[in-house]
């Protein structure tokens, strides 16, 4: 049994370490796969901009904004990498407070479609704080679980983790954003699993969640949410109503064939048959224009990225690192499966973005911060300790 | 602070958990790949076909609507291109609707409620265009197209509008076109109509909708999800223009009829009247005027709800063609039925004399002669010529109600004439069976008397009345009146030539009708119709006065007047022994209440105009309000 101890930091500490050693520990593959995925996102932004008839580099187009956010994300990635992740252990409660604060601010002054409050507008920027809140949640949970590693066969520690996730999840539910709150739940589940929590209690918890479903269905979910959740189960969807997006996106994906119609040639997207084509349904454009091969490449990239994330967790001598990697992996996997599954009609419609690819600054920057922290963890596990 | 890992802490990295997590990743990505394979490779062709199908649609090409000419080839309606403003509700965000509609209303200088009304009354789906304004001038149309980005969902298009040459003069005949209504749409959709189509609503435009519409062509069009055309790919079928109609109507006669009626209406201060002229040898209607009327061009341009409501509320019902869509008690003109019936059934002979009296008594009720004196013993010429009420009470009594009804049916009363105009009414011919069904009682003898002189339950349309006299004038053939003479295909070939339509031959010998024609001539020569006999042409006919409504404070009922007359083929030298008449004219002056018979004066004026008689025989003094029986 060990504990994490804190001592006053010495300013010379970082400088004393060799930058070369840090570079060697830096996971170049992880950065490469993430960069390629972000590049796919930019390509999709480009094709969407061309299809909407504007010159792609014109200010304000999807592509121009995508480039800007990619730049910001790269900076955020570098900053997060150089930042000593161990500060998070000390600062876990302030981080938690910051997370709740961001979500409360969103609820208070946020904008959204149809009376919802999802993003905050500051000057020319709109930012969806709930994306950043996911990373902060992972930080808080990683610290919580890592510090209680010995006691994870007790129900108390598991319930404690649940209690931690509760308030942010509820705040996101209030926006209302069902998709993001499900991501919070997925992060919790994945991290609990990887923490080594007792299988019995995990099973009990799972049973409890299943039991909650009817209650949530009756009292918490709104009608449109239920409609979206069930429309994928309907074999003959109401193609002019709630099933329209689903139907059109399946047509888009299906008509892509093996090699696709070619970039910027997607007729489904061009004809505006696909709603929200630059955001949640971006995969349908990709599948239509780049075909089965393009989709497969995307999946392989995600698979490789997840592999590198898990490797980082496995290599971490620090349980915080393991837990953090578990959180990031759970988040990416869940969002991938739900988003792409939704586009292909095997998952309910929830507003979950496809990491890196979906156009949206908050999602990309948050991912960059998450992976940056992971790199920070990578380069701070010295070989000697391994 | 600086943190470090306490050596005593052993990270608990359980390989099994990593392995399971890794497996989940592999399974999840594998499942996604399988689904992708299923959609793109296994069913790719099918989805590609759906995609192609929803991008290209067959859209109709409107066919130019057929034109309408009068019998002399004068163009009565033309198609003119106009700008129409339409809205696709699906493209108009609800949050912006009020602002967009307000702006559009300002541009069109109309009321926002009109536009809201049009959108809410949209018969199709939210993806179908709704016409919110038609006949928009070019400057406004341009302004609206250029403001496109401020007016989401608003589109400006060119469409053909009907332009009626003579407007109000022909409105009751031609009718007008208007937008498809929500109730009509389901049926019309099956026939290829679009929700924003125009179609004939009333009059000939409605009656001959199929012929006039032509056959819409189709073209395959590439479109986007909102249904906007992106490009025309190919014309699948050319549109076939609608057929043209040539009417039996003579614009000149129509104008004369309107002029004569308007003159009397203005002189009397009367608000409702009808004039019809037809050729009794064929059933062709030469003129049909019903006043008050309306301007059908206002409908073609898109009438406002307020203006339409005003027309609907008008007590004289300008939207109704009173010649066929309303029925009235015919008064003494109906004595033709009892006279013909009594002669045909041999109740009387042409020389039989019947005593006319100041009144007849039935039980305790007195049935008065209209002049309260009578003319002594009268034959049919005297009885019909003086329009003796007591004479015809007795003839009706001899026939009985059911036989009287039979002869009324013979003359075409009680059934729509079948004229090619919509919404014709049948009128009422009272019989025992009719009263049993309508009122649950048998006819009383007094009611038979009333029925004999065109009062009581008798109700006829002006067209039925003139058609009955046409049968008299032509020697016993009841024709179906016709408005459309010929239908000409788009290539100029006559697809339906004119042919008289016989309803039936009257069940009488020609000699009976000859007697009745000469009796009708007696009406004129006895100066029952004042100076009509002085005209340089020969006319036979019958006037009528019919009471209706509720009595005034002195117990007097308001009354209308009728006159139906016909001329021989040679109007100067001809004789009514022959059944060669080619012109029957009738006038109906509703609620005339004049000293003399107003309808007779109207017909007289029409005949003067029609035959170009220079001397004016009109007697305006007869058109003074009288409000008592001076004439019958």
């Amino acid at each position: 049994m060990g504990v994490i101890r804190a001592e006053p930091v010495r300013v010379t500490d970082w400088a004393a370490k060799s930058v070369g050693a840090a570079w060697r520990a830096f996971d170049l593959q992880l950065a490469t796969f993430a960069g390629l995925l972000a590049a796919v996102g930019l390509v999709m932004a480009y094709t969407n901009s061309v299809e909407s008839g504007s010159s792609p580099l014109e200010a304000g187009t999807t592509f121009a904004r995508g480039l800007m956010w990619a730049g910001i994300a790269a900076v955020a990635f570098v900053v997060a990498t150089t930042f000593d992740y161990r500060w998070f252990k000390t600062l876990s409660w302030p981080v938690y407070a910051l997370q709740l604060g961001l979500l409360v601010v969103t609820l208070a002054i946020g904008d959204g479609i149809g009376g919802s409050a999802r993003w905050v507008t500051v000057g020319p920027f709109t930012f969806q704080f709930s994306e950043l809140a996911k990373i902060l949640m992972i930080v808080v949970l990683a610290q919580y679980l890592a510090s209680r590693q010995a006691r994870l066969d007790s129900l108390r520690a598991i319930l404690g983790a649940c209690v931690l996730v509760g308030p942010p999840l509820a705040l996101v539910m209030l926006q209302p954003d069902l998709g993001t709150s499900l991501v919070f739940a997925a992060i919790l589940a994945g991290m609990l699993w990887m923490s080594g929590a007792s299988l019995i209690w995990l099973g009990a918890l799972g049973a409890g969640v299943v039991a909650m479903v009817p209650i949530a269905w009756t009292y918490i979910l709104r009608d449109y949410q239920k409609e979206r959740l069930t429309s994928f189960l309907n074999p003959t969807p109401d193609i002019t109503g709630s099933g329209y997006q689903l139907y059109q996106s399946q047509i888009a994906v299906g008509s892509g064939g093996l090699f696709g119609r070619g970039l910027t040639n997607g007729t489904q997207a061009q004809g505006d048959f696909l709603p929200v084509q630059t955001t949640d349904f971006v995969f349908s454009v990709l599948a239509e224009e780049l075909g089965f091969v393009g989709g497969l490449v995307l999946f392989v990239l995600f698979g490789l990225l997840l592999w590198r994330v898990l490797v980082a967790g496995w290599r971490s001598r620090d349980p915080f690192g393991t837990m953090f990697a578990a959180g990031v992996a759970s988040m990416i996997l869940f969002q991938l499966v739900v988003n792409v599954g939704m586009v292909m009609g095997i998952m309910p419609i929830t507003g979950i973005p496809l990491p890196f690819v979906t156009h949206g600054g908050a999602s990309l920057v948050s991912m960059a911060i998450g992976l940056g922290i992971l790199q920070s963890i990578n380069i701070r596990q010295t070989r000697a300790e391994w | 602070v600086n943190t470090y890992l306490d050596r005593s802490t052993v990270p608990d990295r359980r390989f099994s958990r990593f392995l399971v997590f890794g497996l989940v990743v592999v399974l999840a990505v594998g499942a996604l790949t399988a689904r992708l394979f299923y959609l793109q490779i296994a069913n790719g062709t099918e989805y590609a076909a759906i995609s192609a199908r929803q991008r290209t649609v067959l859209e109709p090409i409107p066919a130019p609507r057929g034109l309408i000419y009068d019998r002399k080839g004068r163009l009565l309606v033309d198609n003119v291109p106009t700008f129409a403003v339409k809205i696709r509700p699906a493209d108009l965000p609800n949050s912006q609707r009020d602002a967009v509609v307000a702006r559009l209303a300002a541009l069109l200088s109309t009321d926002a409620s009109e536009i809201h009304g049009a959108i809410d009354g949209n018969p199709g789906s939210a993806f179908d265009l709704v016409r919110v304004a038609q006949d928009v001038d070019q400057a406004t149309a341009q302004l609206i197209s250029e403001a496109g980005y401020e007016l989401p969902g608003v589109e400006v298009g060119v469409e053909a509008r009907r332009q009626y040459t003579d407007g109000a003069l022909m409105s009751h005949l031609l009718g007008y076109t208007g937008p498809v209504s929500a109730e009509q749409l389901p049926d019309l959709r099956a026939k290829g109509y679009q929700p924003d189509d125009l179609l004939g609503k009333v009059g000939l435009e409605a009656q001959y909708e199929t012929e006039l519409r032509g056959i819409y062509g189709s073209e395959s069009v590439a479109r986007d999800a909102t249904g906007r055309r992106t490009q025309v790919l190919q014309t699948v079928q050319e549109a076939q223009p609608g057929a043209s109609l040539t009417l039996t109507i003579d614009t000149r006669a129509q104008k004369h009829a309107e002029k004569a009626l308007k003159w009397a209406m203005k002189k009397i201060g009367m608000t409702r009247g009808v004039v019809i002229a037809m050729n009794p040898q064929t059933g062709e209607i030469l003129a049909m005027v019903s006043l008050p009327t309306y301007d059908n061009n206002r409908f073609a341009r898109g009438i406002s709800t307020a203006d339409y409501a005003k027309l609907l509320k008008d007590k004289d019902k300008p939207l109704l063609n009173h010649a066929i869509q309303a029925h009235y008690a015919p008064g003494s003109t109906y004595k033709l039925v009892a006279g013909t019936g009594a002669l045909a059934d041999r109740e009387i002979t042409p020389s039989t004399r019947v005593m006319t009296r100041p009144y007849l008594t039935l039980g305790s009720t007195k049935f008065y002669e209209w002049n309260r004196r009578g003319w002594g013993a009268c034959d049919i010429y005297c009885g019909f010529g003086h329009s003796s009420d007591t004479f015809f009470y007795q003839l009706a009594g001899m026939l009985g109600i059911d036989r009287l009804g039979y002869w009324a049916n013979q003359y075409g009363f009680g059934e729509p004439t079948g004229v090619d105009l919509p919404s014709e009414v049948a009128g009422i011919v009272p019989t025992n069976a009719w009263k049993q069904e309508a009122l649950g009682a048998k006819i009383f003898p007094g009611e038979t008397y009333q029925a004999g002189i065109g009062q009581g339950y008798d109700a006829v349309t002006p067209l039925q009345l003139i058609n009955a006299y046409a049968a008299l004038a032509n020697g016993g053939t009841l024709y179906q009146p016709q408005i459309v003479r010929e239908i000409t295909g788009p290539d100029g070939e006559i697809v339906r030539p004119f042919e008289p339509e016989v309803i039936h031959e009257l069940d009488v010998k020609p000699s009976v009708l000859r007697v009745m024609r000469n009796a009708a001539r007696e009406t004129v020569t006895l100066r029952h119709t004042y100076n009509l006999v002085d005209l340089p042409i020969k006319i036979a006919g019958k006037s009528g006065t019919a009471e209706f409504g509720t009595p005034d404070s002195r117990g007097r009922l308001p009354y209308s007047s009728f006159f139906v007359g016909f001329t021989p083929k040679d109007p100067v030298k001809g004789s009514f022994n022959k059944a060669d008449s080619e012109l029957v004219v009738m006038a109906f002056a509703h609620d005339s209440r004049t000293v003399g018979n107003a309808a007779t004066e109207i017909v007289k004026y029409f005949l003067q105009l029609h035959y170009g008689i220079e001397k004016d025989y009109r007697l305006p003094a007869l058109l003074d309000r009288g409000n008592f029986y001076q004439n019958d």
Side-chain angles (χ1 to χ4, degrees):
Chain A
M1 295 300 142
V3 288
I4 305 294
R5 301 198 189 284
E7 284 179 358
V9 72
R10 283 188 295 275
V11 181
T12 51
D13 200 33
W14 167 251
K17 292 196 173 171
S18 144
V19 174
W23 177 246
R24 277 192 298 281
F26 181 87
D27 189 343
L28 196 57
Q29 288 189 57
L30 179 83
T32 307
F33 299 142
L36 285 174
L37 282 169
V40 170
L42 279 175
V43 168
M44 295 328 293
Y46 175 81
T47 185
N48 276 315
S49 297
V50 170
E51 275 160 5
S52 65
S54 41
S55 165
L57 278 171
E58 214 171 289
T61 62
T62 311
F63 183 62
R65 278 179 294 135
L67 274 180
M68 180 193 76
W69 282 114
I72 294 173
V75 172
F77 177 73
V78 172
V79 169
T81 304
T82 51
F83 180 78
D84 189 339
Y85 78 95
R86 284 169 289 199
W87 280 93
F88 285 130
K89 302 187 190 177
T90 326
L91 297 176
S92 110
W93 288 110
V95 164
Y96 190 57
L98 172 68
Q99 182 200 4
L100 293 180
L102 289 178
L103 293 176
V104 168
V105 163
T106 304
L107 270 186
I109 62 166
D111 305 317
I113 298 158
S116 64
R118 294 213 176 148
W119 52 80
V120 173
T121 309
V122 181
F125 296 96
T126 56
F127 203 82
Q128 199 167 347
F129 283 138
S130 59
E131 290 295 324
L132 190 57
K134 290 191 284 198
I135 301 296
L136 299 181
M137 187 77 252
I138 295 171
V139 167
V140 172
L141 267 180
Q143 166 58 11
Y144 178 87
L145 291 172
S147 64
R148 280 164 185 76
Q149 213 166 31
R151 282 171 275 150
L152 281 172
D153 50 355
S154 82
L155 182 59
R156 211 178 138 195
I158 295 174
L159 286 181
C162 295
V163 168
L164 266 184
V165 177
L169 190 145
L171 285 171
V172 173
M173 258 325 246
L174 283 175
Q175 290 184 0
D177 185 351
L178 179 64
T180 305
S181 49
L182 286 176
V183 176
F184 276 97
I187 289 169
L188 174 67
M191 289 177 76
L192 278 176
W193 172 261
M194 294 294 276
S195 72
S198 152
L199 282 176
I200 294 168
W201 292 125
L202 282 184
L205 194 65
V209 168
V210 170
M212 280 288 287
V213 167
I215 296 168
W217 190 262
T218 317
Y219 297 107
I220 299 175
L221 292 182
R222 301 170 192 221
D223 280 342
Y224 82 93
Q225 291 174 326
K226 291 183 206 172
E227 202 173 287
R228 295 204 313 187
L229 286 173
T230 50
S231 66
F232 88 105
L233 294 171
N234 193 342
T236 51
D238 165 23
I239 63 165
T240 54
S242 66
Y244 179 76
Q245 286 185 343
L246 207 58
Y247 180 68
Q248 292 299 344
S249 80
Q250 279 190 66
I251 291 173
V253 172
S255 60
L258 185 59
F259 296 108
R261 295 183 193 269
L263 280 177
T264 75
N265 291 331
T267 52
Q268 285 288 110
Q270 220 165 25
D272 281 337
F273 286 94
L274 275 174
V276 289
Q277 46 181 279
T278 64
T279 55
D280 294 346
F281 280 80
V282 68
F283 179 76
S284 60
V285 181
L286 185 144
E288 188 189 7
E289 299 188 352
L290 300 177
F292 183 67
V293 172
L296 212 57
V297 167
L298 186 83
F299 294 162
V300 168
L301 279 177
F302 269 111
L304 290 172
L305 180 75
L306 284 168
W307 170 56
R308 292 319 299 177
V309 172
L310 288 175
V311 164
W314 177 254
R315 282 191 182 159
S316 173
R317 305 285 300 170
D318 181 347
F320 177 88
T322 310
M323 285 298 96
F324 189 83
V328 170
S330 307
M331 178 176 79
I332 294 175
L333 179 64
F334 183 76
Q335 294 195 193
L336 169 71
V337 170
V338 174
N339 178 284
V340 174
M342 160 187 86
V343 169
M344 296 194 296
I346 52 172
M347 279 284 163
I349 299 179
T350 47
I352 295 182
L354 183 60
F356 305 101
V357 184
T358 286
H359 177 71
S363 171
L364 188 62
V365 170
S366 305
M367 280 295 164
I369 292 171
L371 294 183
I373 293 171
L374 212 58
Q375 291 289 24
S376 175
I377 293 165
N378 271 336
I379 61 178
R380 285 176 179 83
Q381 312 298 317
T382 61
R383 293 279 169 200
E385 284 166 342
W386 175 250
Chain B
V1 290
N2 194 2
T3 53
Y4 63 94
L5 191 65
D6 193 318
R7 284 282 150 198
S8 61
T9 306
V10 179
D12 188 5
R13 289 172 282 120
R14 297 190 187 173
F15 183 72
S16 61
R17 299 284 171 109
F18 270 90
L19 188 68
V20 170
F21 197 103
L23 274 176
V24 169
V25 171
V26 170
L27 282 177
V29 173
L32 292 181
T33 308
R35 176 67 179 173
L36 193 63
F37 182 87
Y38 170 81
L39 288 177
Q40 296 198 300
I41 309 298
N43 293 304
T45 24
E46 191 188 315
Y47 280 110
I50 298 175
S51 168
R53 203 159 57 231
Q54 69 176 6
R55 271 179 299 116
T56 56
V57 282
L58 278 185
E59 282 200 350
I61 307 172
R65 198 170 171 85
L67 303 178
I68 303 178
Y69 302 90
D70 86 343
R71 66 182 298 128
K72 304 253 174 74
R74 182 171 187 274
L75 188 63
L76 300 180
V77 58
D78 200 359
N79 298 317
V80 292
T82 54
F83 292 100
V85 177
K86 301 182 182 184
I87 285 184
R88 201 185 294 280
D91 292 348
L92 174 57
N94 242 331
S95 56
Q96 293 181 43
R97 175 168 159 171
D98 286 339
V100 169
V101 167
R103 177 138 167 65
L104 198 57
L107 284 168
L108 293 166
S109 30
T110 173
D111 206 30
S113 62
E114 293 272 336
I115 298 176
H116 279 299
I119 298 173
D120 294 335
N122 171 23
S125 82
F127 296 95
D128 292 319
L129 286 168
V130 188
R131 182 184 294 96
V132 294
Q134 38 193 136
D135 203 37
V136 177
D137 65 77
Q138 190 170 354
T140 310
Q142 204 160 355
L143 219 58
I144 293 171
S145 337
E146 282 165 5
Y149 63 97
E150 287 170 43
L151 298 169
V154 178
E155 293 177 24
V156 177
V158 176
E159 64 180 19
R161 168 174 75 72
R162 293 297 248 183
Q163 167 115 25
Y164 300 101
T165 315
D166 299 303
L169 178 69
M170 302 275 186
S171 290
H172 283 305
L173 301 174
L174 301 181
Y176 51 83
T177 57
V180 171
S181 72
E183 304 87 72
Q184 291 175 302
L185 185 63
D187 287 344
L188 290 174
R189 260 251 157 97
K191 295 181 196 158
Y193 281 79
Q194 299 299 301
D196 63 335
D197 250 340
L198 294 169
L199 82 166
K201 302 292 265 190
V202 299
L204 294 171
E205 293 275 25
Q207 184 81 16
Y208 288 92
E209 168 64 19
T210 320
E211 291 83 355
L212 289 169
R213 180 177 163 86
I215 300 166
Y216 275 32
S218 59
E219 58 192 359
S220 75
V221 170
R223 56 158 201 183
D224 64 17
T226 55
R228 264 188 294 257
R229 300 159 153 242
T230 50
Q231 92 192 88
V232 175
L233 302 173
Q234 70 173 115
T235 302
V236 177
Q237 199 190 345
E238 294 283 357
Q240 190 186 323
S244 293
L245 310 180
T246 302
L247 306 190
T248 59
I249 299 292
D250 180 350
T251 306
R252 189 173 156 270
Q254 181 82 1
K255 281 183 172 161
H256 289 159
E258 188 190 53
K259 188 174 179 184
L261 182 55
K262 276 188 170 165
W263 163 72
M265 283 172 76
K266 193 176 170 203
K267 183 80 186 53
I268 301 167
M270 171 183 96
T271 53
R272 219 188 272 187
V274 172
V275 174
I276 308 173
M278 65 187 285
N279 181 345
Q281 301 299 335
T282 57
E284 286 171 279
I285 294 175
L286 304 172
M288 180 188 273
V289 172
S290 168
L291 292 177
T293 184
Y294 60 93
D295 185 353
N296 48 1
N297 282 315
R298 287 170 72 198
F299 284 88
R301 291 194 188 105
I303 193 167
S304 74
T305 323
D307 287 349
Y308 185 55
K310 214 160 101 189
L311 285 173
L312 278 178
K313 266 189 270 172
D314 192 316
K315 69 171 175 48
D316 286 307
K317 303 195 169 79
L319 294 177
L320 215 59
N321 181 355
H322 293 277
I324 60 164
Q325 293 169 342
H327 60 209
Y328 302 92
S332 299
T333 53
Y334 203 69
K335 288 171 180 166
L336 172 68
V337 172
T340 308
L343 287 167
D345 283 356
R346 295 177 189 282
E347 302 288 352
I348 58 167
T349 67
S351 55
T352 306
R353 286 170 174 267
V354 175
M355 189 55 73
T356 62
R357 307 163 192 278
Y359 56 84
L360 295 181
T361 313
L362 206 62
S364 58
T365 313
K366 287 176 175 173
F367 289 86
Y368 284 101
E369 183 58 69
W370 65 266
N371 67 354
R372 313 254 165 161
R373 289 197 305 274
W375 294 267
C378 261
D379 60 10
I380 182 73
Y381 301 103
C382 161
F384 199 71
H386 287 294
S387 194
S388 167
D389 288 341
T390 51
F391 184 89
F392 282 95
Y393 290 151
Q394 294 175 64
L395 259 53
M398 293 171 194
L399 285 165
I401 191 70
D402 288 337
R403 209 54 203 159
L404 192 65
Y406 171 79
W407 289 108
N409 291 147
Q410 278 295 302
Y411 272 116
F413 295 114
E415 285 288 334
T417 63
V419 68
D420 44 352
L421 283 173
S423 313
E424 189 188 8
V425 299
I428 297 167
V429 171
T431 56
N432 275 312
W434 170 82
K435 197 183 172 192
Q436 196 67 48
E437 186 167 320
L439 300 163
K442 286 223 163 216
I443 293 277
F444 303 122
E447 291 172 342
T448 306
Y449 277 15
Q450 296 284 0
I453 64 158
Q455 288 282 175
Y457 298 120
D458 292 346
V460 309
T461 68
L463 184 63
Q464 282 175 332
L465 188 61
I466 191 176
N467 207 35
Y469 277 84
L472 171 68
N474 69 28
T477 307
L478 189 69
Y479 284 105
Q480 177 182 307
Q482 295 190 64
I483 297 272
V484 171
R485 203 178 144 74
E486 288 166 353
I487 301 177
T488 312
D491 48 2
E493 189 197 347
I494 293 173
V495 290
R496 200 213 71 187
F498 179 70
E499 205 154 315
E501 297 278 342
V502 176
I503 299 173
H504 60 237
E505 300 288 339
L506 264 56
D507 179 20
V508 287
K509 285 188 195 147
S511 60
V512 169
L513 295 176
R514 194 178 63 232
V515 170
M516 286 313 296
R517 280 196 301 278
N518 284 315
R521 177 62 182 164
E522 281 290 298
T523 309
V524 176
T525 49
L526 282 173
R527 292 194 175 267
H528 185 75
T529 52
Y530 297 90
N531 66 349
L532 201 57
V533 68
D534 299 335
L535 263 62
I537 53 166
K538 286 183 178 156
I539 309 140
K542 185 75 197 79
S543 58
T545 307
E547 297 173 321
F548 67 93
T550 46
D552 67 5
S553 52
R554 286 157 67 189
R556 298 171 311 196
L557 288 161
Y559 55 90
S560 305
S561 55
F562 289 88
F563 182 80
V564 203
F566 50 95
T567 58
K569 182 172 183 179
D570 181 343
V572 180
K573 295 181 204 139
S575 138
F576 292 100
N577 286 324
K578 284 199 218 159
D580 60 359
S581 169
E582 287 178 352
L583 182 71
V584 202
V585 186
M586 77 82 60
F588 165 53
H590 182 258
D591 196 12
S592 53
R593 289 180 280 125
T594 45
V595 178
N597 186 297
T600 310
E601 291 304 303
I602 296 167
V603 170
K604 192 197 290 171
Y605 190 22
F606 174 83
L607 291 171
Q608 282 181 195
L609 295 166
H610 187 75
Y611 287 108
I613 299 166
E614 305 231 325
K615 190 178 168 193
D616 192 355
Y617 292 88
R618 284 178 290 170
L619 300 171
L622 294 180
L623 299 185
D624 291 341
R625 287 285 196 186
N627 210 9
F628 55 87
Y629 273 22
Q630 179 81 15
N631 199 344
D632 189 35

